[in-house]
Short mmCIF file of all heavy atoms in Angstrom, two decimals:
data_model
loop_
_atom_site.label_atom_id
_atom_site.label_comp_id
_atom_site.label_asym_id
_atom_site.label_seq_id
_atom_site.Cartn_x
_atom_site.Cartn_y
_atom_site.Cartn_z
N SER N 376 52.33 179.70 -33.29
CA SER N 376 53.05 180.03 -34.53
C SER N 376 53.26 181.53 -34.70
O SER N 376 54.15 181.96 -35.43
CB SER N 376 52.31 179.46 -35.74
OG SER N 376 51.05 180.08 -35.90
N LYS N 377 52.47 182.34 -34.00
CA LYS N 377 52.62 183.81 -34.09
C LYS N 377 53.86 184.30 -33.38
O LYS N 377 54.32 185.42 -33.60
CB LYS N 377 51.38 184.49 -33.49
CG LYS N 377 50.08 184.19 -34.22
CD LYS N 377 48.91 184.96 -33.63
CE LYS N 377 48.58 184.50 -32.23
NZ LYS N 377 47.38 185.16 -31.67
N TYR N 378 54.43 183.50 -32.48
CA TYR N 378 55.55 183.93 -31.66
C TYR N 378 56.91 183.54 -32.25
O TYR N 378 57.94 183.83 -31.66
CB TYR N 378 55.43 183.34 -30.25
CG TYR N 378 54.34 184.00 -29.45
CD1 TYR N 378 53.02 183.60 -29.58
CD2 TYR N 378 54.63 185.06 -28.59
CE1 TYR N 378 52.01 184.21 -28.85
CE2 TYR N 378 53.63 185.68 -27.87
CZ TYR N 378 52.32 185.24 -28.00
OH TYR N 378 51.32 185.86 -27.28
N SER N 379 56.91 182.86 -33.37
CA SER N 379 58.17 182.50 -34.01
C SER N 379 57.90 182.29 -35.49
O SER N 379 56.81 182.51 -35.98
CB SER N 379 58.76 181.24 -33.36
OG SER N 379 60.10 181.08 -33.75
N ASN N 380 58.95 181.85 -36.20
CA ASN N 380 58.81 181.70 -37.65
C ASN N 380 58.22 180.34 -38.01
O ASN N 380 58.72 179.65 -38.90
CB ASN N 380 60.18 181.88 -38.32
CG ASN N 380 60.73 183.26 -38.09
OD1 ASN N 380 60.00 184.24 -38.15
ND2 ASN N 380 62.02 183.35 -37.83
N PHE N 381 57.19 179.92 -37.31
CA PHE N 381 56.54 178.66 -37.63
C PHE N 381 55.65 178.85 -38.85
O PHE N 381 54.96 179.86 -38.98
CB PHE N 381 55.65 178.18 -36.46
CG PHE N 381 56.40 177.95 -35.18
CD1 PHE N 381 55.80 178.24 -33.96
CD2 PHE N 381 57.67 177.44 -35.17
CE1 PHE N 381 56.45 178.03 -32.77
CE2 PHE N 381 58.35 177.22 -33.99
CZ PHE N 381 57.74 177.52 -32.78
N ASN N 382 55.66 177.86 -39.72
CA ASN N 382 54.75 177.85 -40.86
C ASN N 382 53.38 177.43 -40.34
O ASN N 382 53.17 176.28 -39.98
CB ASN N 382 55.26 176.88 -41.94
CG ASN N 382 54.39 176.89 -43.17
OD1 ASN N 382 53.17 176.78 -43.11
ND2 ASN N 382 55.04 177.04 -44.32
N GLN N 383 52.44 178.37 -40.31
CA GLN N 383 51.14 178.11 -39.68
C GLN N 383 50.36 177.01 -40.38
O GLN N 383 49.76 176.15 -39.72
CB GLN N 383 50.31 179.40 -39.64
CG GLN N 383 49.07 179.27 -38.77
CD GLN N 383 48.40 180.62 -38.53
OE1 GLN N 383 48.86 181.64 -39.00
NE2 GLN N 383 47.31 180.61 -37.78
N LYS N 384 50.41 177.00 -41.69
CA LYS N 384 49.66 176.00 -42.45
C LYS N 384 50.21 174.60 -42.17
O LYS N 384 49.45 173.65 -41.91
CB LYS N 384 49.73 176.32 -43.94
CG LYS N 384 48.90 175.36 -44.80
CD LYS N 384 49.01 175.73 -46.28
CE LYS N 384 48.23 174.73 -47.14
NZ LYS N 384 48.36 175.05 -48.59
N ASP N 385 51.55 174.46 -42.21
CA ASP N 385 52.18 173.16 -41.96
C ASP N 385 52.02 172.73 -40.51
O ASP N 385 51.83 171.54 -40.21
CB ASP N 385 53.66 173.20 -42.34
CG ASP N 385 53.87 173.28 -43.84
OD1 ASP N 385 52.89 173.11 -44.59
OD2 ASP N 385 55.02 173.53 -44.27
N SER N 386 52.11 173.71 -39.59
CA SER N 386 51.92 173.40 -38.16
C SER N 386 50.51 172.90 -37.91
O SER N 386 50.30 171.96 -37.13
CB SER N 386 52.19 174.65 -37.31
OG SER N 386 53.52 175.07 -37.43
N ASN N 387 49.56 173.51 -38.57
CA ASN N 387 48.16 173.12 -38.44
C ASN N 387 47.94 171.69 -38.94
O ASN N 387 47.24 170.88 -38.32
CB ASN N 387 47.28 174.09 -39.23
CG ASN N 387 45.81 173.85 -39.00
OD1 ASN N 387 45.30 174.04 -37.91
ND2 ASN N 387 45.11 173.43 -40.05
N ARG N 388 48.61 171.36 -40.05
CA ARG N 388 48.49 170.01 -40.62
C ARG N 388 49.14 168.98 -39.68
O ARG N 388 48.58 167.90 -39.44
CB ARG N 388 49.18 169.98 -41.99
CG ARG N 388 49.16 168.62 -42.70
CD ARG N 388 47.76 168.22 -43.06
NE ARG N 388 47.75 166.95 -43.82
CZ ARG N 388 46.67 166.26 -44.08
NH1 ARG N 388 45.48 166.70 -43.66
NH2 ARG N 388 46.72 165.13 -44.76
N ALA N 389 50.29 169.32 -39.14
CA ALA N 389 50.98 168.40 -38.22
C ALA N 389 50.14 168.15 -36.98
O ALA N 389 50.06 167.01 -36.48
CB ALA N 389 52.34 168.98 -37.83
N ALA N 390 49.49 169.21 -36.47
CA ALA N 390 48.64 169.07 -35.28
C ALA N 390 47.46 168.14 -35.57
O ALA N 390 47.08 167.31 -34.73
CB ALA N 390 48.14 170.44 -34.83
N LEU N 391 46.88 168.28 -36.75
CA LEU N 391 45.74 167.45 -37.12
C LEU N 391 46.11 165.96 -37.17
O LEU N 391 45.33 165.09 -36.79
CB LEU N 391 45.19 167.90 -38.48
CG LEU N 391 43.79 167.40 -38.85
CD1 LEU N 391 42.73 168.05 -37.98
CD2 LEU N 391 43.51 167.67 -40.33
N LEU N 392 47.34 165.67 -37.61
CA LEU N 392 47.79 164.28 -37.75
C LEU N 392 48.47 163.74 -36.48
O LEU N 392 48.80 162.55 -36.42
CB LEU N 392 48.78 164.16 -38.92
CG LEU N 392 48.27 164.52 -40.32
CD1 LEU N 392 49.43 164.50 -41.32
CD2 LEU N 392 47.18 163.55 -40.76
N SER N 393 48.69 164.61 -35.51
CA SER N 393 49.59 164.30 -34.39
C SER N 393 49.24 163.04 -33.61
O SER N 393 50.13 162.32 -33.15
CB SER N 393 49.68 165.50 -33.43
OG SER N 393 48.40 165.79 -32.87
N LYS N 394 47.97 162.76 -33.42
CA LYS N 394 47.57 161.61 -32.59
C LYS N 394 46.97 160.45 -33.41
O LYS N 394 46.54 159.45 -32.82
CB LYS N 394 46.55 162.06 -31.52
CG LYS N 394 47.05 163.18 -30.60
CD LYS N 394 48.33 162.80 -29.89
CE LYS N 394 48.91 163.96 -29.11
NZ LYS N 394 50.24 163.66 -28.56
N CYS N 395 46.98 160.59 -34.73
CA CYS N 395 46.34 159.57 -35.57
C CYS N 395 47.00 158.20 -35.43
O CYS N 395 46.32 157.17 -35.51
CB CYS N 395 46.37 160.01 -37.04
SG CYS N 395 45.23 161.36 -37.40
N ASP N 396 48.31 158.18 -35.23
CA ASP N 396 48.98 156.87 -35.16
C ASP N 396 48.66 156.11 -33.88
O ASP N 396 48.94 154.91 -33.77
CB ASP N 396 50.49 157.01 -35.34
CG ASP N 396 51.17 157.69 -34.16
OD1 ASP N 396 50.48 158.42 -33.41
OD2 ASP N 396 52.39 157.50 -33.99
N LEU N 397 48.04 156.77 -32.90
CA LEU N 397 47.74 156.10 -31.63
C LEU N 397 46.69 155.01 -31.78
O LEU N 397 46.56 154.15 -30.90
CB LEU N 397 47.29 157.13 -30.58
CG LEU N 397 48.33 158.17 -30.17
CD1 LEU N 397 47.76 159.09 -29.09
CD2 LEU N 397 49.61 157.52 -29.68
N VAL N 398 45.93 155.06 -32.87
CA VAL N 398 44.90 154.03 -33.07
C VAL N 398 45.30 153.04 -34.18
O VAL N 398 44.48 152.24 -34.61
CB VAL N 398 43.52 154.66 -33.39
CG1 VAL N 398 42.93 155.30 -32.15
CG2 VAL N 398 43.63 155.68 -34.53
N THR N 399 46.56 153.10 -34.61
CA THR N 399 47.04 152.13 -35.60
C THR N 399 47.36 150.81 -34.90
O THR N 399 47.61 150.77 -33.69
CB THR N 399 48.30 152.64 -36.32
OG1 THR N 399 49.35 152.83 -35.36
CG2 THR N 399 48.02 153.95 -37.05
N ASN N 400 47.38 149.74 -35.67
CA ASN N 400 47.71 148.42 -35.14
C ASN N 400 49.13 148.39 -34.58
O ASN N 400 49.40 147.77 -33.56
CB ASN N 400 47.58 147.36 -36.23
CG ASN N 400 46.14 147.14 -36.64
OD1 ASN N 400 45.37 146.51 -35.91
ND2 ASN N 400 45.75 147.65 -37.79
N MET N 401 50.05 149.10 -35.28
CA MET N 401 51.45 149.09 -34.88
C MET N 401 51.63 149.69 -33.49
O MET N 401 52.31 149.11 -32.62
CB MET N 401 52.29 149.85 -35.90
CG MET N 401 53.79 149.80 -35.63
SD MET N 401 54.52 148.18 -35.90
CE MET N 401 54.70 148.18 -37.67
N VAL N 402 51.04 150.85 -33.25
CA VAL N 402 51.21 151.51 -31.95
C VAL N 402 50.43 150.78 -30.86
O VAL N 402 50.87 150.72 -29.71
CB VAL N 402 50.80 153.00 -32.03
CG1 VAL N 402 50.82 153.66 -30.65
CG2 VAL N 402 51.74 153.75 -32.97
N CYS N 403 49.28 150.21 -31.21
CA CYS N 403 48.54 149.43 -30.21
C CYS N 403 49.36 148.24 -29.73
O CYS N 403 49.30 147.86 -28.57
CB CYS N 403 47.21 148.95 -30.79
SG CYS N 403 46.00 150.29 -31.01
N GLU N 404 50.17 147.67 -30.63
CA GLU N 404 51.01 146.53 -30.28
C GLU N 404 52.32 146.99 -29.63
O GLU N 404 52.82 146.37 -28.70
CB GLU N 404 51.31 145.70 -31.53
CG GLU N 404 52.12 144.44 -31.29
CD GLU N 404 51.35 143.38 -30.51
OE1 GLU N 404 50.11 143.46 -30.46
OE2 GLU N 404 52.00 142.48 -29.96
N PHE N 405 52.89 148.08 -30.16
CA PHE N 405 54.17 148.61 -29.66
C PHE N 405 53.99 150.08 -29.26
O PHE N 405 54.35 150.99 -30.01
CB PHE N 405 55.26 148.50 -30.73
CG PHE N 405 55.39 147.14 -31.35
CD1 PHE N 405 55.36 146.98 -32.73
CD2 PHE N 405 55.56 146.01 -30.56
CE1 PHE N 405 55.49 145.73 -33.31
CE2 PHE N 405 55.69 144.75 -31.13
CZ PHE N 405 55.66 144.61 -32.51
N PRO N 406 53.43 150.36 -28.07
CA PRO N 406 53.11 151.74 -27.66
C PRO N 406 54.30 152.70 -27.68
O PRO N 406 54.12 153.90 -27.93
CB PRO N 406 52.58 151.56 -26.23
CG PRO N 406 52.10 150.15 -26.17
CD PRO N 406 53.01 149.37 -27.06
N GLU N 407 55.51 152.18 -27.44
CA GLU N 407 56.68 153.07 -27.41
C GLU N 407 56.99 153.66 -28.77
O GLU N 407 57.79 154.60 -28.87
CB GLU N 407 57.90 152.30 -26.89
CG GLU N 407 57.88 152.05 -25.39
CD GLU N 407 59.19 151.47 -24.89
OE1 GLU N 407 60.25 152.07 -25.14
OE2 GLU N 407 59.17 150.40 -24.26
N LEU N 408 56.37 153.14 -29.83
CA LEU N 408 56.64 153.64 -31.18
C LEU N 408 55.70 154.78 -31.58
O LEU N 408 55.70 155.19 -32.74
CB LEU N 408 56.53 152.50 -32.18
CG LEU N 408 57.65 151.45 -32.12
CD1 LEU N 408 57.37 150.30 -33.08
CD2 LEU N 408 59.01 152.08 -32.44
N GLN N 409 54.90 155.28 -30.62
CA GLN N 409 54.03 156.41 -30.95
C GLN N 409 54.87 157.57 -31.45
O GLN N 409 55.94 157.85 -30.94
CB GLN N 409 53.21 156.82 -29.73
CG GLN N 409 54.01 157.30 -28.55
CD GLN N 409 53.12 157.71 -27.38
OE1 GLN N 409 51.93 157.48 -27.38
NE2 GLN N 409 53.72 158.32 -26.37
N GLY N 410 54.40 158.24 -32.44
CA GLY N 410 55.17 159.34 -33.04
C GLY N 410 56.07 158.83 -34.15
O GLY N 410 56.03 159.35 -35.27
N THR N 411 56.88 157.82 -33.88
CA THR N 411 57.75 157.24 -34.90
C THR N 411 56.91 156.61 -36.01
O THR N 411 57.17 156.80 -37.20
CB THR N 411 58.68 156.18 -34.28
OG1 THR N 411 59.48 156.80 -33.27
CG2 THR N 411 59.58 155.57 -35.33
N VAL N 412 55.87 155.87 -35.62
CA VAL N 412 54.96 155.27 -36.59
C VAL N 412 54.26 156.37 -37.39
O VAL N 412 54.15 156.30 -38.62
CB VAL N 412 53.93 154.36 -35.89
CG1 VAL N 412 52.82 153.95 -36.84
CG2 VAL N 412 54.62 153.13 -35.31
N GLY N 413 53.80 157.41 -36.70
CA GLY N 413 53.15 158.53 -37.37
C GLY N 413 54.06 159.16 -38.41
O GLY N 413 53.61 159.51 -39.52
N MET N 414 55.34 159.30 -38.08
CA MET N 414 56.31 159.89 -39.02
C MET N 414 56.42 159.04 -40.29
O MET N 414 56.34 159.57 -41.41
CB MET N 414 57.67 160.02 -38.35
CG MET N 414 58.76 160.54 -39.27
SD MET N 414 60.42 160.48 -38.54
CE MET N 414 60.71 158.70 -38.55
N TYR N 415 56.61 157.73 -40.12
CA TYR N 415 56.77 156.86 -41.28
C TYR N 415 55.51 156.82 -42.14
O TYR N 415 55.58 156.84 -43.38
CB TYR N 415 57.14 155.45 -40.83
CG TYR N 415 58.60 155.28 -40.50
CD1 TYR N 415 59.02 154.93 -39.22
CD2 TYR N 415 59.59 155.48 -41.47
CE1 TYR N 415 60.37 154.77 -38.90
CE2 TYR N 415 60.94 155.32 -41.17
CZ TYR N 415 61.32 154.97 -39.89
OH TYR N 415 62.65 154.82 -39.60
#
Side-chain angles (χ1 to χ4, degrees):
S376 65
K377 297 183 293 185
Y378 287 83
S379 194
N380 297 319
F381 300 144
N382 183 310
Q383 191 169 0
K384 183 180 177 182
D385 289 349
S386 297
N387 187 66
R388 179 65 176 169
L391 195 69
L392 298 174
S393 61
K394 303 303 173 188
C395 288
D396 69 338
L397 296 182
V398 288
T399 62
N400 291 285
M401 185 70 80
V402 173
C403 288
E404 183 69 19
F405 309 127
E407 286 188 54
L408 289 175
Q409 62 179 10
T411 301
V412 169
M414 176 188 71
Y415 279 118

